[in-house]
Amino acid sequence: MKLTRVGLAGMVLLAGGCANLFGESAQETKNRELALSWYRDTIALGHVDQASKYMADDYIEHDPRISGGKAGFVRYYQNASSRPAEAAEITSFGQGDYVVIVWSRDDKDPKTSTPYKYTTYDVVRIKNGKIQEHWNNAKQNTKW
Amino acid sequence: MNILRLFGGLTVSAVVGPMLLAQQHPSNVPPIIPMVTTYDVSSLKYTPRQQDHIAIGDLFFRALHSGHFEIVTNLIEPPDAVNHNPNDPKTPPGLMALLQTRIPEPKALFAEQDQIPSLVLANDNFVVFMWDQKAMGADGKEYPANRFELMRFKDGKIVEHWDVANRRENAQEWKLDWCEKAGRKDCPAR
């Protein structure tokens, strides 16, 4: 039987506990998928009613624009003007309890209107299958 | 091969011939991560390849910001390496030329405590560094914020680098002015 590289990788994944093509364990892949779903549903789309599905009750937020843990997160992202514009993923991966997502965002130079790209980061720590802690590169006056 | 002393007395081999590094690491090497953190990082385990990348990335920042450009040159893959920053030249040589205008003489390589990351995450090809820093609010008071850098590695060298600059919060017109006046071909479009 001839195995393609993708097919072989799939078999490795099925073996369980082995690293995937990105060097992640099965648990790290699961964590990454959780983080991406959380970001999409609650931050990008503003479905903050799903916050408890993803986030721990004692969630810790490091974004300096948001205070008050999970409740503060919900208050902030239920406001449409707080939510970020669509972005392309540069990379994401899980390592241990952490997941990092790096985004490429489009903007225009405020003086010349020339389009340019810039990069933003989200890191989460996952505990007991929930988002426990979140960091990003936001400042108090960040709008994206 | 240079032997460099990192934090807490740990020693790591780095620079010249980084592809050799992974082969030189025994499988039971303890983590060599220059990280000072209050976060729970007990779940993080790094492969020898990842440790090499982290050590190279850490050295890259330190050498770049202390004016040791000869070291930086050894850590990147010419000629295709890309610097993703909307204010800076797009190539590492351009970035180094820019910084050389600010750092004409090399400074101590490991004196900059601000460069110690609070979290380092890696997979086979990428490393992300996170630092805990202070930012200044509109009220003049400092508050905690985070800075990040991402690197992509190929064959043990840095081929891409991303940071967090944009043109609204931290537009740096002087960089664009300098690049154009220097007649460089790697300037970002205004």
Side-chain angles (χ1 to χ4, degrees):
Chain A
M1 184 171 71
K2 186 178 178 184
L3 290 173
T4 64
R5 290 180 69 178
V6 172
L8 186 59
M11 288 181 69
V12 169
L13 280 173
L14 284 173
C18 298
N20 66 8
L21 285 176
F22 306 103
E24 290 174 329
S25 68
Q27 183 59 52
E28 289 168 339
T29 299
K30 198 174 167 183
N31 289 347
R32 175 168 51 82
E33 290 169 351
L34 173 74
L36 287 167
S37 296
W38 165 75
Y39 186 94
R40 181 196 61 220
D41 289 350
T42 62
I43 295 179
L45 299 177
H47 297 315
V48 290
D49 55 316
Q50 301 205 28
S52 292
K53 170 183 165 188
Y54 292 111
M55 300 161 71
D57 288 341
D58 54 349
Y59 170 82
I60 301 166
E61 177 60 70
H62 294 274
D63 184 326
R65 300 169 300 180
I66 303 171
S67 59
K70 187 165 76 173
F73 177 95
V74 167
R75 276 196 303 274
Y76 186 82
Y77 284 112
Q78 68 188 3
N79 183 346
S81 64
S82 301
R83 295 200 284 273
E86 196 174 333
E89 192 184 313
I90 295 173
T91 187
S92 66
F93 58 88
Q95 190 185 28
D97 295 337
Y98 290 84
V99 177
V100 57
I101 314 169
V102 187
W103 305 100
S104 175
R105 298 185 183 277
D106 293 312
D107 195 11
K108 289 184 178 176
D109 186 297
K111 286 187 177 172
T112 63
S113 297
T114 299
Y116 73 94
K117 293 184 183 300
Y118 69 105
T119 310
T120 65
Y121 295 74
D122 288 280
V123 169
V124 297
R125 182 169 66 86
I126 292 169
K127 185 179 176 185
N128 298 327
K130 300 260 187 173
I131 308 285
Q132 181 69 53
E133 201 164 2
H134 172 234
W135 300 258
N136 62 16
N137 59 281
K139 303 282 178 57
Q140 286 181 342
N141 61 346
T142 291
K143 290 178 182 172
W144 55 51
Chain B
M1 185 168 61
N2 297 338
I3 304 297
L4 298 165
R5 186 159 293 278
L6 292 184
F7 317 105
L10 294 172
T11 303
V12 64
S13 306
V15 202
V16 189
M19 268 301 284
L20 297 173
L21 292 170
Q23 298 166 26
Q24 292 167 351
H25 275 296
S27 60
N28 61 348
V29 69
I32 306 172
I33 307 302
M35 185 162 63
V36 174
T37 187
T38 57
Y39 307 130
D40 180 358
V41 293
S42 56
S43 67
L44 296 179
K45 305 284 184 273
Y46 303 91
T47 66
R49 175 188 168 101
Q50 291 167 352
Q51 290 182 21
D52 287 346
H53 289 169
I54 291 166
I56 291 164
D58 176 76
L59 185 59
F60 171 84
F61 295 127
R62 291 177 173 283
L64 193 64
H65 294 293
S66 61
H68 289 274
F69 302 116
E70 77 289 354
I71 294 178
V72 176
T73 302
N74 280 331
L75 303 176
I76 58 178
E77 177 62 35
D80 299 325
V82 179
N83 179 48
H84 297 275
N85 180 315
N87 300 316
D88 291 350
K90 289 183 251 179
T91 68
L95 179 61
M96 285 188 277
L98 171 71
L99 288 173
Q100 204 151 23
T101 66
R102 295 293 167 117
I103 317 168
E105 294 295 328
K107 300 183 288 189
L109 193 56
F110 292 108
E112 185 54 76
Q113 294 302 304
D114 287 349
Q115 294 293 328
I116 301 176
S118 54
L119 189 66
V120 183
L121 302 175
N123 71 0
D124 281 358
N125 300 316
F126 288 97
V127 176
V128 172
F129 291 83
M130 182 176 97
W131 291 267
D132 291 349
Q133 295 191 327
K134 299 286 185 192
M136 187 66 76
D139 57 3
K141 293 180 181 172
E142 285 188 338
Y143 63 92
N146 293 103
R147 179 168 75 87
F148 298 81
E149 310 253 4
L150 168 70
M151 293 173 169
R152 185 170 70 84
F153 289 81
K154 185 180 177 187
D155 298 333
K157 295 215 174 186
I158 299 164
V159 288
E160 285 187 271
H161 166 235
W162 296 259
D163 58 25
V164 293
N166 64 51
R167 290 191 182 171
R168 292 184 188 274
E169 295 165 43
N170 42 18
Q172 293 176 296
E173 290 276 331
W174 70 269
K175 292 182 172 180
L176 301 173
D177 291 344
W178 170 85
C179 201
E180 288 175 3
K181 283 178 187 167
R184 298 197 62 87
K185 298 187 187 308
D186 56 358
C187 303
R190 267 199 196 269

